[in-house]
Amino acid sequence: MFVLFSILRRSLVAVFLITVVSAVPMFATGQGEDGTADQADEESNVVHVYSNRHYDTDQALFDRFEEFSGYEVQVVEAGSDEIIERLAAEGADSPADILITADAGRLHQASTRDLFQSVDSPVLDSLVPDNLKGADDEWFALTRRSRLIVYHNERADESDLSTYEALAGEEFRDNVLIRSSSNIYNISLLASLIEHLGSDAAREWAEGMTENFARPPQGGDTDQLRGVAAGEADYAISNTYYLGRLLGSSDPADVEIGEQLSVYFPNQPGVEGSDGRGAHFNVSGAGITRHADNAKGARELLEFLVSDEAQEQFAQANYEYPIRDDIELAPEIEQFGDFVADDLPLYILGENQREATMIFNEVGWQ
């Protein structure tokens, strides 16, 4: 479904999955190099999770993990920045075994602050693509989300679209809705442009976008989509799962809004003016904390979260893209079609995050 991995890689991984994924609950014996059980693991059957994801799907998966693993999962939820600061402040006294957060930029922040430990897991190594994990295997993507151009079906034409860069052109003047520059999704998008285009071109893009705002940035991605449907602009930039939620909503009014909109995957191969690098992707992901008391249980939970069962739930219930291309998408997302995704190693987004924020401030993107 994605044009992310070669056919050969998928074939090799598929063979491995037959024998490994079904046995995920039994993986990770927790033995140290000398063959003895990790002492901390013997002392606790609880996996403590710090998470900024507030989804019923996540809790349902934690409950499922408890059923077959024998572990209890205790979750502390808070905002991304708050949960990272809490973990850092607690240091070695933190009860957290796993940190789960959205956006590769935040995962990189946690990594550079030495809040994770490297993880040795054949399951994670085989199922999580190299560009969707930390440079030292200290964090791993659990879900993918693409930040795309959304347009009104009747007032806009797909043929006018091509790349993220082109959306900053004069032809889109006063006709684009997008969140504020403080939003981590926008920071990571600009961070990817810095890497692909260079700092000067990325700054020009940010300047052009500010001139194309139909109104000052406000609200979340759903607000941008509602704004396009209401006629405030013809185009918006949004993560795909927000449109999926509207289309899959039990509220007919939400569905009506969603049905007025379509998505466009920028920077596709073969499109005039495109370098073909693919649409920008980000992730939510997790890592085992530096001072985890139950690293064995944490590793088993991470392995479960990339299994068939968990990946299907992330896709079907949350309208997210799974990290694996052998998992069926939610119908609301499948209808968006096939595309090429940017395979930029996502830890680079974190490395460019500070510069992206500086550029936003310099160009006056609110």
Side-chain angles (χ1 to χ4, degrees):
M1 186 162 298
F2 293 94
V3 192
L4 282 171
F5 317 112
S6 68
I7 294 175
L8 177 59
R9 175 181 172 83
R10 289 202 303 265
S11 299
L12 291 173
V13 170
V15 173
F16 186 81
L17 292 178
I18 294 174
T19 59
V20 172
V21 173
S22 62
V24 163
M26 300 178 64
F27 257 75
T29 63
Q31 293 182 342
E33 294 181 359
D34 60 356
T36 60
D38 295 334
Q39 181 177 357
D41 295 340
E42 292 180 338
E43 295 175 351
S44 175
N45 70 334
V46 178
V47 179
H48 294 271
V49 176
Y50 280 10
S51 177
N52 87 305
R53 287 172 57 92
H54 311 289
Y55 303 131
D56 292 340
T57 302
D58 291 34
Q59 186 58 56
L61 289 172
F62 297 149
D63 293 343
R64 176 74 179 108
F65 177 73
E66 289 181 334
E67 291 177 9
F68 65 71
S69 70
Y71 289 109
E72 176 187 353
V73 180
Q74 295 185 1
V75 184
V76 172
E77 294 183 350
S80 291
D81 295 334
E82 178 185 350
I83 209 76
I84 291 174
E85 290 302 325
R86 173 172 176 171
L87 181 60
E90 290 172 340
D93 295 326
S94 178
D97 299 306
I98 290 180
L99 171 67
I100 300 176
T101 188
D103 194 274
R106 289 197 180 102
L107 290 163
H108 180 76
Q109 285 179 26
S111 178
T112 57
R113 297 178 70 172
D114 203 27
L115 300 182
F116 290 136
Q117 59 178 274
S118 295
V119 180
D120 182 10
S121 165
V123 174
L124 296 171
D125 286 344
S126 66
L127 297 183
V128 182
D130 289 342
N131 67 308
L132 302 183
K133 63 178 69 169
D136 296 317
D137 288 342
E138 74 278 19
W139 60 261
F140 300 85
L142 302 178
T143 68
R144 291 186 287 190
R145 38 279 287 280
S146 186
R147 195 151 188 77
L148 304 179
I149 300 172
V150 179
Y151 63 94
H152 194 274
N153 294 334
E154 296 181 358
R155 301 195 309 270
D157 195 320
E158 180 178 303
S159 63
D160 294 329
L161 298 170
S162 58
T163 65
Y164 294 102
E165 299 92 291
L167 195 64
E170 293 183 359
E171 61 269 36
F172 298 100
R173 190 72 75 232
D174 302 322
N175 205 13
V176 180
L177 298 179
I178 191 170
R179 296 168 79 151
S180 74
S181 63
S182 63
N183 174 250
I184 192 67
Y185 304 143
N186 286 340
I187 293 172
S188 288
L189 174 58
L190 182 55
S192 74
L193 295 178
I194 292 171
E195 190 66 23
H196 286 298
L197 308 177
S199 299
D200 291 342
R203 183 177 288 100
E204 290 178 6
W205 177 82
E207 288 176 341
M209 287 295 295
T210 60
E211 295 178 3
N212 289 352
F213 293 162
R215 55 163 169 71
Q218 60 188 39
D221 279 6
T222 302
D223 297 300
Q224 317 313 314
L225 301 181
R226 294 183 185 279
V228 171
E232 294 182 40
D234 297 336
Y235 305 93
I237 290 182
S238 171
N239 285 359
T240 47
Y241 58 89
Y242 290 99
L243 180 54
R245 290 175 186 173
L246 290 174
L247 293 169
S249 174
S250 59
D251 186 343
D254 285 343
V255 177
E256 182 179 359
I257 289 173
E259 289 178 343
Q260 297 179 52
L261 310 174
S262 294
V263 301
Y264 182 81
F265 296 94
N267 297 85
Q268 296 299 291
V271 175
E272 184 177 356
S274 171
D275 58 5
R277 68 176 182 268
H280 170 69
F281 255 77
N282 211 317
V283 297
S284 62
I288 299 177
T289 62
R290 168 65 62 183
H291 302 290
D293 287 331
N294 192 357
K296 173 181 177 289
R299 185 172 65 250
E300 290 188 23
L301 177 54
L302 286 185
E303 290 171 345
F304 170 66
L305 293 176
V306 300
S307 69
D308 288 4
E309 179 178 351
Q311 288 292 298
E312 288 169 0
Q313 286 300 307
F314 285 137
Q316 297 294 325
N318 276 7
Y319 306 104
E320 297 178 272
Y321 284 100
I323 62 166
R324 294 166 43 191
D325 61 356
D326 60 339
I327 301 297
E328 185 177 355
L329 300 177
E332 293 83 359
I333 301 299
E334 176 121 35
Q335 67 177 304
F336 296 163
D338 295 335
F339 61 93
V340 171
D342 187 355
D343 62 358
L344 182 73
L346 293 186
Y347 66 85
I348 292 175
L349 302 184
E351 294 177 349
N352 292 343
Q353 193 174 59
R354 182 184 298 273
E355 183 177 2
T357 300
M358 291 176 58
I359 289 175
F360 277 140
N361 290 337
E362 290 170 0
V363 303
W365 186 321
Q366 299 179 18

